[in-house]
Amino acid sequence: MASQILGTEMKLKTGLAEMLKGGVIMDVVNREQAIIAEKAGAVAVMALERVPSDIRKEGGVARMSPPEMVEEIMNSVSIPVMAKCRIGHFAEAMVLESLGVDYIDESEVLTPADEQFHIDKMDFKTPFVCGAKNLGEALRRIGEGAALIRTKGEAGSGNIVEAVRHLRTLRSQIRRLTTLGSEELMTEAKELGAPFALVQWVAREGKLPVPNFAAGGIATPADAVLAMYLGAETVFVGSGIFKSSNPEKLAHAIVQATTNYQNPKIVAECSKGLGSPMRGLDVNLLKAEERLSERGW
Amino acid sequence: MKVGILALQGAVQPHEEKIKRLGVTPVRVLYPQQLEEIGGIILPGGESTTMIHLLKLNQLWSPLKHFVKIRPTWGICAGAILLANHVSRPSQESLEALQMTVERNAYGRQNESFVDSLVPTEIWKRFDKTSENIEGVFIRAPKIRDLGTGVDILFTHQNDSVMVQKDKCLASTFHPELTDSTRIHEYFLSLCQK
C-alpha cells in the first residue's frame, strides 16, 4: 500500500482521488457551468476565474479565483470542488483551504508566484494535485506532499499532443525503473532528481504511489479515450467543453466515452452531432514563453 | 465463483485487489449481461450522481435494481447511497434495496474526512472471532439515518451506524478497501458463497 511510504494522513488525501477515478473533472467559471457539469455526470469541478484558453488570449497575471466565486460554485453542486492556486503561492492555498475546497491544484495555468520553490503541501489538510511532464517531476511533487498527479499537457490549446507526450514519458520511465537492479536506483534517483525512497517504491510496484490523471488539451470524447488507454485514470477537461458550440452535449459525451473507453461503438455513437469543438492551437507554433507546461520544474 | 464490481466510475481497483487476494475472480461490471455471470456485486465508492447518470446510459438501472434485491450486494459510501430507499441533502433517486435514509456528505467536505477505529456489534463479533481492530476511513462520507426494522447494525462510530445489513445486502459509509485488512471483504464473500 502506498500509505506505507506516504503515511496515514495521505490515505485520506489519495483516498478522495481514488473516488474520482474513471471520471471526468470539468473546468467551470460560474454556477451555471457547474450545474451543467454535474448534470452531465462530472465527478468533480475545477472552479476558476477564466478557462486556460482565455488566460492565454487575454494575457496578464492569472491568479487564484475570487473566494466568493469559489463559494458560489461550492454551494451550487454536491460533487467535490477543486480550485487552483499559483505555483509556490502558499498564501493563496491557505485561503482555498479555509474556504473548504476539496482539492487544491497548484497549477502552471496560473502565473507562477515563485520560480524556485513549490508549496510544502504536507502542511495542509486539504489534498493537492500537481502537474508533471515526466517521472522526476511527478516524484518531486509527491515528495512535497501532492496526493494526485496530472499531466500538464498544454492547457488551453485544445491540442492533446503534449498530454500524450507526458503520459507516454511517465509510462516508459516507470517501466524502465522496474527493469533496474537495486544498485542502479540511487544513480537513477540522481538523474531523475527524485526522492530515493519514492524511486525504490516505483521500481518495486511499477506505478506511481498516488493516482495519475490526464489534463491539458483534451477536447473530444476520443481525446479522453486516448488518455485513458495511455494510463490516465481520470481526465480533466478545461477549455474544451465550454469553448465548444454545444457544451451540454459535449460534457455528456466525454463522460460517457471515458467510462466506456474500451467500447469504440459507444464512443462513436456519443461522438455524433457534437457541433464544432474548440478551434485549438498548433503547440509547435507557440513560443517557449507561451508554453504553460514549461512553468514549474 | 466470480464477484462483480460496478465499474462505471470510482474506487474499483482497490476492491479488485482485495477480492483477488482472497482467491476469487473479480469482474468489472459495465453492462447488463454481465450481471448473469456474477455471484454478488460490490457498488464501490465514487460519486453517486455520476453513477446514477451512467447506470441509466449503460442500461443498468433496472436490471441492477432487481439484482440488488435478490443477490448479495455491498455498497460502499456512494454505493450505500445508491442502496438506500431514501436519500437526503440533496434528495435523489436510488436503487431502494435497504430501508434507511442516507444523508450525503453528512460530516462535511474533504477537510472533515477522517480515519478512526470502529465499534463492532455482537453480530460482527459472531463472525469475526479474531477481534481485529477495524479501521474506518471516512471520505466526504454520508451518514445512515432512520434505519428500517429488520436492518442489522454491524459497526458503529460514535452514535452513528456505519455498516448495516439486511439479508444479503450490506452497506458501509466507510472504505475497507483503503485499509490493509481484508476482514470485511471476507465477510461479504461469505455471504456470496452461502
Side-chain angles (χ1 to χ4, degrees):
Chain A
M1 286 236 121
S3 58
Q4 281 157 0
I5 179 132
L6 299 174
T8 47
E9 186 58 17
M10 279 298 271
K11 201 183 281 188
L12 289 171
K13 295 180 173 179
T14 57
L16 178 56
E18 287 289 337
M19 303 308 141
L20 303 177
K21 280 188 180 175
V24 181
I25 300 166
M26 301 180 192
D27 277 3
V28 297
V29 301
N30 56 40
R31 174 194 172 83
E32 289 70 33
Q33 292 186 353
I35 292 169
I36 289 172
E38 185 177 49
K39 281 200 178 132
V43 291
V45 291
M46 175 74 72
L48 72 177
E49 191 187 15
R50 293 175 285 171
V51 293
S53 67
D54 286 337
I55 292 175
R56 204 178 265 294
K57 216 180 306 164
E58 291 159 19
V61 174
R63 310 180 176 91
M64 171 187 80
S65 302
E68 65 273 24
M69 178 258 180
V70 176
E71 277 176 340
E72 177 190 294
I73 290 170
M74 286 166 62
N75 293 333
S76 63
V77 292
S78 65
I79 53 179
V81 175
M82 304 182 170
K84 289 181 194 289
C85 71
R86 286 178 264 178
I87 290 174
H89 206 317
F90 56 85
E92 283 187 348
M94 287 158 75
V95 169
L96 293 174
E97 179 173 57
S98 80
L99 293 177
V101 301
D102 298 289
Y103 246 96
I104 298 171
D105 186 358
E106 185 183 17
S107 178
E108 70 284 359
V109 168
L110 306 185
T111 312
D114 192 321
E115 294 188 330
Q116 209 177 356
F117 303 112
H118 285 252
I119 296 172
D120 178 1
K121 293 165 273 285
M122 297 287 187
D123 273 356
F124 290 78
K125 166 90 171 131
T126 310
F128 276 76
V129 50
C130 287
K133 300 186 293 294
N134 53 49
L135 182 59
E137 195 173 9
L139 295 181
R140 286 191 291 278
R141 296 294 84 77
I142 296 167
E144 291 160 354
L148 170 61
I149 292 297
R150 55 168 176 77
T151 59
K152 286 182 168 173
E154 190 53 41
S157 70
N159 188 338
I160 197 170
V161 66
E162 290 303 308
V164 167
R165 192 189 321 278
H166 302 160
L167 282 167
R168 283 203 180 274
T169 303
L170 197 60
R171 197 157 76 157
S172 76
Q173 288 181 313
I174 290 174
R175 202 183 296 136
R176 187 186 125 74
L177 269 194
T178 64
T179 64
L180 298 181
S182 57
E183 76 283 6
E184 296 175 272
L185 294 179
M186 185 57 90
T187 301
E188 191 64 17
K190 176 182 164 238
E191 301 293 327
L192 288 169
F196 180 54
L198 292 178
V199 169
Q200 284 179 305
W201 195 93
V202 173
R204 192 171 63 240
E205 303 289 333
K207 60 178 185 184
L208 287 183
V210 305
N212 177 30
F213 293 0
I218 294 166
T220 68
D223 284 350
V225 171
L226 180 61
M228 293 298 281
Y229 269 113
L230 293 177
E233 295 172 298
T234 274
V235 295
F236 283 89
V237 186
S239 322
I241 290 174
F242 291 100
K243 287 292 165 190
S244 74
S245 62
N246 190 342
E248 277 99 337
K249 206 161 178 203
L250 183 60
H252 197 278
I254 293 181
V255 169
Q256 196 179 4
T258 302
T259 290
N260 296 290
Y261 76 96
Q262 289 168 311
N263 192 328
K265 276 192 180 147
I266 294 181
V267 178
E269 205 49 48
C270 68
S271 300
K272 290 178 185 167
L274 296 179
S276 47
M278 70 179 282
R279 181 153 155 67
L281 297 168
D282 181 345
V283 294
N284 292 316
L285 300 180
L286 293 175
K287 295 191 203 96
E289 64 271 21
E290 291 171 340
R291 287 176 178 253
L292 303 179
S293 58
E294 297 305 320
R295 295 167 167 183
W297 55 274
Chain B
M1 187 192 57
K2 290 177 182 168
V3 167
I5 305 167
L6 184 67
L8 296 168
Q9 183 273 314
V12 178
Q13 194 190 325
H15 285 292
E16 219 166 37
E17 285 166 14
K18 294 265 192 252
I19 300 283
K20 277 188 201 157
R21 232 209 285 172
L22 295 169
V24 173
T25 310
V27 177
R28 290 186 171 222
V29 175
L30 280 161
Y31 307 106
Q33 61 275 20
Q34 293 174 296
L35 294 173
E36 287 157 30
E37 51 172 307
I38 55 174
I41 193 164
I42 293 176
L43 311 181
E47 284 307 312
S48 60
T49 51
T50 305
M51 289 189 201
I52 292 170
H53 182 73
L54 289 164
L55 280 169
K56 291 181 178 171
L57 284 177
N58 279 22
Q59 271 96 47
L60 266 166
W61 184 262
S62 301
L64 188 63
K65 197 166 183 171
H66 179 67
F67 185 98
V68 299
K69 283 175 186 139
I70 54 169
R71 306 297 296 278
T73 299
W74 174 23
I76 297 99
C77 197
I81 295 169
L82 289 178
L83 291 176
N85 69 345
H86 190 253
V87 181
S88 67
R89 270 208 359 165
S91 105
Q92 61 189 38
E93 295 172 89
S94 62
L95 301 171
E96 299 170 22
L98 281 171
Q99 274 218 5
M100 60 181 184
T101 297
V102 171
E103 181 187 336
R104 291 184 61 200
N105 304 329
Y107 296 88
R109 308 186 71 96
Q110 174 64 12
N111 288 348
E112 281 72 55
S113 294
F114 64 96
V115 182
D116 203 0
S117 291
L118 303 179
V119 181
T121 62
E122 290 307 314
I123 298 172
W124 177 260
K125 287 186 199 158
R126 238 176 285 148
F127 166 77
D128 188 10
K129 307 245 173 358
T130 66
S131 63
E132 178 188 316
N133 177 45
I134 299 289
E135 191 183 48
V137 179
F138 293 85
I139 296 175
R140 285 175 49 98
K143 276 191 186 183
I144 296 173
R145 313 257 192 214
D146 308 326
L147 220 45
T149 47
V151 184
D152 293 323
I153 301 167
L154 282 81
F155 285 97
T156 60
H157 175 261
Q158 292 172 358
N159 291 320
D160 297 306
S161 307
V162 294
M163 183 159 168
V164 299
Q165 176 178 3
K166 171 101 196 272
D167 302 322
K168 291 186 171 187
C169 190
L170 278 177
S172 61
T173 58
F174 60 95
H175 293 276
E177 78 281 10
L178 298 181
T179 65
D180 295 325
S181 169
T182 53
R183 296 303 283 153
I184 297 180
H185 285 81
E186 286 167 44
Y187 183 72
F188 178 64
L189 292 181
S190 78
L191 294 181
C192 296
Q193 275 147 354
K194 266 183 198 160

